[in-house]
Amino acid sequence: MADVLVWVMQRRVVLADRAERLRKELAEIDAEVARLEAAEVVIGQFIETERSGQADDPAVAEELERVTTPGAGGMLLVPHREPGMDESALPADYQAIMKIVAAASEPAPAKDVSVQLGRGTQPRQVEPVRDKLRRLADRGWLHRTPAGRFTALPRSSV
């Protein structure tokens, strides 16, 4: 019976390591998708400008060079929180997560946030939310407890 317990524990460790690797890979894929979406927007704007005949206008050309879309060219979708920044600096889906966590009376687990977002409780529905919560915590927007739950930071902590 002890052999079975050892096997179960070893298997759990192996699967936990694999899950962590897959989470990292998923985060990298999400970042690449965001960069490609941003590139698609910028290229679409450029093509539309060329079609309308405005591409030769120096002011338009200068504006096209200045266009920066979050997620493009290494820009962060979720910026590091700095003094004076509020949630309006975040993309809409992250703002929704911030509101849910701020309204919670106790540290919020990812599953509860996922449910409140209307996404469900299955791992495929919760894990993207957990990744966003971690990203917010890593960049100073939320606090992550040792138990893996999330709380809003006091406004004066930034």
Side-chain angles (χ1 to χ4, degrees):
M1 193 62 141
D3 291 340
V4 172
L5 179 60
V6 169
W7 179 85
V8 167
M9 291 170 59
Q10 290 173 338
R11 184 70 177 147
R12 183 184 52 80
V13 169
V14 167
L15 291 175
D17 289 343
R18 183 172 180 216
E20 187 59 33
R21 285 193 313 274
L22 289 171
R23 275 193 215 68
K24 288 178 183 176
E25 185 178 347
L26 179 60
E28 291 170 2
I29 290 169
D30 284 343
E32 184 174 354
V33 167
R35 285 191 299 273
L36 291 172
E37 287 172 347
E40 185 178 334
V41 168
V42 172
I43 292 168
Q45 290 172 342
F46 182 73
I47 290 170
E48 187 61 34
T49 301
E50 278 190 328
R51 285 184 184 157
S52 67
Q54 297 175 348
D56 296 331
D57 183 350
V60 172
E62 185 177 317
E63 181 64 21
L64 284 172
E65 287 178 22
R66 198 177 64 76
V67 171
T68 55
T69 304
M75 287 182 62
L76 298 175
L77 285 170
V78 178
H80 291 278
R81 189 171 184 191
E82 296 179 8
M85 287 180 88
D86 65 4
E87 288 85 7
S88 66
L90 298 170
D93 51 341
Y94 287 88
Q95 289 179 31
I97 290 171
M98 291 290 295
K99 287 178 185 169
I100 291 168
V101 173
S105 59
E106 56 188 40
K111 185 182 261 186
D112 290 356
V113 175
S114 178
V115 167
Q116 289 188 37
L117 288 170
R119 298 198 180 157
T121 60
Q122 297 297 315
R124 64 185 164 83
Q125 298 160 326
V126 175
E127 289 308 315
V129 173
R130 186 183 322 280
D131 287 339
K132 288 180 180 185
L133 286 161
R134 284 185 184 146
R135 194 169 294 125
L136 287 166
D138 291 346
R139 306 236 171 101
W141 293 92
L142 295 175
H143 170 72
R144 183 174 182 213
T145 68
R149 295 172 183 243
F150 298 87
T151 61
L153 295 172
R155 294 231 182 249
S156 62
S157 70
V158 179

